Amino acid sequence: MKPKIIAVCGKGGVGKTVVSALLGKVLIDEGVTPVLLVDADPVAGLVTALEASPRLTLGHLRDEAISTLRQGEEEKRSLPTRLDYRLLEALEDRGAYSLLAMGRSASKGCFCPVHALLRRAVKTLAAPFRAVVIDAEAGVEQIQREVTSHVSHVVVVVDSSKRALDALELIEQMVGPGPSLHVVQNRGRPGRDHVSPEPCACFPEDSALGDLDAAGTTLWSLDPERPVWKEARRLARALDLVRGDH
Amino acid sequence: MGSTPEMTELVLQARSFEQRHAATATFPAAPLPTVAAFAKRTGFSPEKQGTQVILREQVACELGHPTTQSVCTVLTTTDPGLVRSGALCLVGPDLAEIPMGTKVPFGQVITLLIREGGSADPFDLETTQYLIDRLPGYMVRSLPGRLWARVSKEARHAGFSLVTLAQALMLVYASRFSSVLASEVLLVTASDDIVSELAPLAMAADVLRGTHKKVTLGAADIECAEQSCETCVEKPVCDSARELLKQGSNRT
């Protein structure tokens, strides 16, 4: 069975990482495992939020691939298998879930075909997972560059700002007919915000998350009684990943 | 790839290695089955069959994990006196003796008897040793000269052993290359130090194949402000990547 691939997108600062982290934990707790969590933000949001510090990232692999492609024919031909090896090495496999980080690349330039090679390798690696949650980079560039292609669900996180709603509109246009699109409102103001399409979950403002963030403590240590967890489960149900009334 | 005095020397070095470790070496005697019988028992296929990923929770044993030593190489000769057809030499424990979940160092040397004048793509001949996606329950990731393999719990419970692996290696070469007349396999799991002893041999084999040669096209900082591929000095890099993408799953 192919994994469900969920890309969590939105304007910078709306809370993509929080939503990604909480959704990931809910999936693990509900037994939708193994889960692959991908931190696609070069500035590292999700991995930091989970107190991880990956040694090897996709950025490193990108640089290695570019370097290899500048070399002789023998080196080039071995690149796909080399990428598979290094990608497995980059994967932080923790049993019920695994982590993969985008990281930063030192190589300037777009190198789109190199990204395509990497995407293909990641797609292969993702095959045995039941769900893949991608904490995407802020903005729409990753959607534009099809870094988030092959996703089955796009979750757009918005807050109360007009800029976030503008980003939602843009993402709706760019995503196209393939993946299903879901809206999550973060730090919502009940009765005051009007978001369309209607959000499938509304995460309330929660200062405890900010405290954990400030302390560099994993978001997964948040008190299980906090209301955001209920919304994370609602989101998981909306994505048809868990069932039942929680 | 073929036979040269230098390659003959490497084959003899592999034999010396076995003799050096004779006290801990075993020579499991298992007649080589037919491809059909082996495939029925193990699901083996001489050609790639989909892609398998074995995650950590399903791993019985890891061979050549990045944190351990890993050496692999293919030697070729046209001298039938140098190849013990179907022989397996195992230096170190087989899988049944390795505790579940352990990462062990791994050395693999395959010696092939090649028909004089036979032609085979040297790249294919070399990369076939990794046995990628040909044996269910045996997942491989490779770098040139190094392999990292995971054996699944399911495969191990079904009886997968290093004998199984050696047989798969011999059968894959016999099936895919008409110029391969016989083969023998040396597998080492004893220790990092013992596996490392094979490194000079593998490196020397690389030099003989010419795979150590690199041509650097040069690298310069580039600006991509105009995002114009036609004027970009890195276009050869992207062209190469596109070639690889087109080749798709035709990699061995």
Side-chain angles (χ1 to χ4, degrees):
Chain A
M1 189 191 293
K2 285 163 64 169
K4 292 214 175 176
I5 302 179
I6 304 122
V8 181
C9 312
K11 178 188 85 63
V14 290
K16 295 183 294 302
T17 298
V18 166
V19 170
S20 301
L22 300 186
L23 174 62
K25 186 66 165 72
V26 162
L27 294 179
I28 293 162
D29 290 346
E30 294 294 330
V32 183
T33 55
V35 178
L36 175 59
L37 303 171
V38 181
D39 186 347
D41 191 338
V43 189
L46 188 57
V47 290
T48 310
L50 300 181
E51 288 187 58
S53 48
R55 191 180 54 84
L56 196 59
T57 67
L58 291 175
H60 293 130
L61 267 55
R62 179 182 182 269
D63 291 339
E64 287 178 14
I66 292 165
S67 175
T68 299
L69 288 167
R70 291 189 176 122
Q71 295 178 27
E73 278 307 311
E74 288 290 338
E75 294 290 327
K76 287 180 197 174
R77 288 181 78 172
S78 70
L79 179 59
T81 49
R82 186 191 290 263
L83 276 179
D84 285 342
Y85 183 106
R86 294 291 273 162
L87 194 55
L88 188 64
E89 216 180 336
L91 186 74
E92 284 208 12
D93 188 336
R94 298 176 176 194
Y97 72 98
S98 296
L99 287 166
L100 196 57
M102 178 69 78
R104 289 189 178 184
S105 170
S107 307
K108 296 179 188 174
C110 41
F111 294 112
C112 291
V114 176
H115 291 154
L117 279 171
L118 270 171
R119 262 204 312 277
R120 190 172 72 179
V122 171
K123 188 182 172 191
T124 298
L125 184 66
F129 291 91
R130 286 190 60 191
V132 180
V133 179
I134 304 171
D135 181 16
E137 189 180 16
V140 299
E141 195 205 345
Q142 282 189 335
I143 297 172
Q144 192 170 28
R145 290 196 288 114
E146 295 187 12
V147 170
T148 48
S149 66
H150 307 297
V151 303
S152 49
H153 302 280
V154 174
V155 173
V156 186
V157 183
V158 299
D159 57 18
S160 307
S161 69
K162 182 177 184 305
R163 288 190 301 279
L165 296 175
D166 288 345
L168 166 60
E169 198 177 321
L170 195 54
I171 292 168
E172 265 188 291
Q173 292 167 17
M174 293 172 77
V175 160
S180 63
L181 189 132
H182 309 261
V183 178
V184 165
Q185 187 168 17
N186 191 30
R187 299 189 285 264
R189 301 175 302 176
R192 293 174 63 189
D193 296 321
H194 302 284
V195 180
S196 175
E198 188 178 343
C200 63
C202 295
F203 287 62
E205 181 85 60
D206 192 331
S207 58
L209 283 167
D211 293 341
L212 289 172
D213 220 0
T217 306
T218 174
L219 299 184
W220 286 356
S221 63
L222 182 71
D223 180 348
E225 299 303 315
R226 305 297 288 189
V228 287
W229 286 115
K230 184 179 168 188
E231 294 306 305
R233 286 190 285 274
R234 273 185 69 194
L235 172 58
R237 284 200 301 279
L239 297 172
D240 204 23
L241 286 165
V242 302
R243 298 192 186 285
D245 191 15
H246 296 267
Chain B
M1 257 188 173
S3 187
T4 60
E6 294 85 356
M7 188 61 88
T8 298
E9 174 56 32
L10 295 183
V11 174
L12 294 173
Q13 282 182 23
R15 199 62 60 80
S16 294
F17 173 90
E18 288 178 20
Q19 288 158 2
R20 248 186 350 266
H21 297 286
T24 51
T26 55
F27 295 84
L32 195 61
T34 62
V35 172
F38 189 70
K40 191 174 176 186
R41 178 161 62 87
T42 64
F44 166 80
S45 165
E47 300 303 324
K48 279 168 63 71
Q49 44 177 0
T51 303
Q52 63 174 332
V53 179
I54 299 172
L55 296 178
R56 205 189 64 175
E57 278 200 328
Q58 294 131 22
V59 170
C61 174
E62 289 195 77
L63 308 171
H65 184 271
T67 57
T68 66
Q69 286 295 324
S70 174
V71 176
C72 59
T73 193
V74 178
L75 309 176
T76 57
T77 179
T78 53
D79 181 353
L82 285 178
V83 180
R84 301 160 300 185
S85 179
L88 161 63
C89 175
L90 180 55
V91 177
D94 202 336
L95 298 186
E97 303 157 83
I98 298 172
M100 200 64 92
T102 306
K103 300 176 177 114
V104 295
F106 191 59
Q108 176 179 289
V109 178
I110 303 169
T111 306
L112 303 174
L113 175 64
I114 303 284
R115 179 169 22 92
E116 193 91 47
S119 65
D121 183 316
F123 181 78
D124 281 350
L125 208 59
E126 194 210 334
T127 54
T128 294
Q129 68 178 309
Y130 302 120
L131 210 64
I132 293 177
D133 296 332
R134 290 181 165 88
L135 193 54
Y138 182 71
M139 178 191 89
V140 177
R141 294 292 180 265
S142 67
L143 297 176
R146 182 183 177 97
L147 73 80
W148 171 13
R150 285 181 170 174
V151 177
S152 72
K153 288 175 182 170
E154 190 183 341
R156 183 167 148 175
H157 286 139
F160 188 101
S161 68
L162 293 179
V163 175
T164 313
L165 173 59
Q167 290 179 333
L169 288 167
M170 292 183 215
L171 288 172
V172 76
Y173 275 100
S175 303
R176 299 193 74 233
F177 303 99
S178 59
S179 55
V180 170
L181 304 176
S183 57
E184 62 172 84
V185 174
L186 164 63
L187 298 177
V188 184
T189 56
S191 71
D192 278 335
D193 286 345
I194 293 176
V195 169
S196 298
E197 288 178 31
L198 294 170
L201 184 155
M203 203 171 305
D206 270 353
V207 170
L208 289 179
R209 280 192 296 270
T211 51
H212 65 297
K213 292 179 187 165
K214 296 178 186 181
V215 175
T216 303
L217 298 179
D221 282 347
I222 67 158
E223 292 292 329
C224 208
E226 293 183 0
Q227 306 230 344
S228 168
C229 294
E230 292 309 314
T231 57
C232 180
V233 299
E234 297 291 359
K235 188 170 181 296
V237 173
C238 291
D239 285 347
S240 295
R242 288 190 192 93
E243 260 179 57
L244 288 169
L245 283 164
K246 278 186 205 162
Q247 284 162 20
S249 58
N250 284 339
R251 52 191 167 94
T252 53

